Amino acid sequence: MEQMTNDFDAFFRGRAPALLRTAYLLTGDKHLAEDLVQDALARTFRAWQRLSDGNPEAYARRVMYHLQVSMWRRRKVVETMPGELPEHRDHSDHAHNAVERLALRRALQALPARQRAVVVLRYFEDHSEAETAEILNCRVGTVKSHTARALSRLRELMPEIDLSEGVTR
């Protein structure tokens, strides 16, 4: 039992930051991402004995995606941020990069939840269309259509970003 706990502890310490990054991209909120990872890791720990021979990270990610999809299906109260973020007066490279990241975050949050999930899985997690379809329990054609619509919307929201090459115009 102690060895199992030590193995999970090592897994947690090694993979939690990567899981948190993915959860943040899925939820768009740091606190919701932390909750999502916590729930996914709790379920992963409960299944740890079954997973010792398999891939626990894949299991944790799948649990995380399924929990997020379940959250999207629930009724929710829409939260809005009052006002705009103040402009940063520092025009160094760091500021430009931060502005681009914030713009990308806002653009991702403007996408419908399923489209955002497809973009995160395909482009941030580098999953194939088939893997993405399996994770989200949908058809490959649905993944393709969500991808096309999401990229089209991102091009509208962020015309300064060349999404085909991943470089700024």
Side-chain angles (χ1 to χ4, degrees):
M1 181 67 173
E2 187 175 325
Q3 179 62 34
M4 184 178 81
T5 304
N6 290 340
D7 289 346
F8 181 80
D9 189 46
F11 167 75
F12 170 80
R13 292 184 191 284
R15 299 311 304 155
L19 292 171
L20 186 59
R21 284 190 299 272
T22 300
Y24 179 77
L25 292 170
L26 287 171
T27 63
D29 181 82
K30 179 184 176 194
H31 302 292
L32 291 174
E34 289 170 349
D35 291 344
L36 184 61
V37 171
Q38 182 178 5
D39 289 344
L41 287 173
R43 291 179 186 208
T44 302
F45 181 73
R46 286 194 298 264
W48 192 254
Q49 276 186 313
R50 287 185 293 135
L51 300 172
S52 61
D53 297 336
N55 187 346
E57 182 174 0
Y59 180 85
R61 286 180 184 277
R62 180 176 292 262
V63 167
M64 194 168 61
Y65 296 132
H66 285 243
L67 286 171
Q68 184 61 21
V69 168
S70 294
M71 289 163 100
W72 293 332
R73 290 182 179 146
R74 291 184 200 136
R75 293 187 89 126
K76 62 181 176 182
V77 177
V78 178
E79 294 181 23
T80 58
M81 298 283 290
E84 293 291 317
L85 294 174
E87 289 218 17
H88 202 313
R89 299 197 186 266
D90 183 16
H91 296 290
S92 68
D93 289 337
H94 297 293
H96 178 71
N97 291 340
V99 168
E100 280 189 347
R101 283 193 306 271
L102 287 172
L104 179 59
R105 178 178 174 221
R106 267 189 247 118
L108 282 171
Q109 287 177 328
L111 294 176
R114 295 287 283 191
Q115 289 179 12
R116 184 179 338 130
V118 168
V119 169
V120 168
L121 289 169
R122 292 278 293 126
Y123 299 104
F124 290 94
E125 290 290 316
D126 202 29
H127 286 285
S128 70
E129 290 170 338
E131 292 169 337
T132 301
E134 183 180 336
I135 290 169
L136 295 176
N137 290 330
C138 64
R139 297 176 188 258
V140 173
T142 304
V143 170
K144 289 179 181 181
S145 64
H146 281 318
T147 301
R149 289 183 191 124
L151 292 178
S152 175
R153 181 71 175 134
L154 288 173
R155 285 184 189 103
E156 290 173 12
L157 295 170
M158 300 184 68
E160 68 279 2
I161 301 293
D162 182 3
L163 295 175
S164 63
E165 298 294 324
V167 292
T168 304
R169 288 185 200 162

